Amino acid sequence: RPDSGLEVRDRNWLKIVIHQAFIGSEVVDWLFAKIQGFSDRREAKKYAMQMLKAGFIKHTVNKSSFSEQCYYTFGDIAAALANCNLKDSESNTSDPDRDTLAPLPNPRDTL
């Protein structure tokens, strides 16, 4: 949404136009400022990493790691939701990248 506070716009990178993109640091700042439940900015960054892994956002050159200096676009929400595993995995409870916050919000609830 244009009034969300996250600056999503066409960006230029190496003479390439990236349509409707945002910078990683901006999405981390936006999450920390707009979403309740983060005790610090580091938690918001971890959440952005989970958004990338889940396909809610995508790196412009398809990298799988999150960086605050890179450009991102919104992913295919329908495909991301279809790939989500709603059951909690008991086999890997010590995974350091495991989301310690609540699941990602339903996109329809944020509109």
Side-chain angles (χ1 to χ4, degrees), residues 54-56 74-84 107:
F56 287 100
F74 288 106
D76 181 353
I77 299 296
L81 289 174
N83 291 327
C84 285

Side-chain angles (χ1 to χ4, degrees), residues 18-54:
I18 303 167
H19 298 285
Q20 297 299 295
F22 49 90
I23 299 171
S25 62
E26 292 175 354
V27 78
V28 172
D29 291 341
W30 184 89
L31 285 167
F32 187 61
K34 301 287 185 178
I35 306 298
Q36 293 181 1
F38 298 118
S39 62
D40 57 28
R41 196 174 178 286
R42 185 178 55 87
E43 285 186 357
K45 183 177 178 178
K46 283 184 180 180
Y47 203 73
M49 288 180 207
Q50 292 300 318
M51 290 174 64
L52 177 65
K53 287 181 181 182

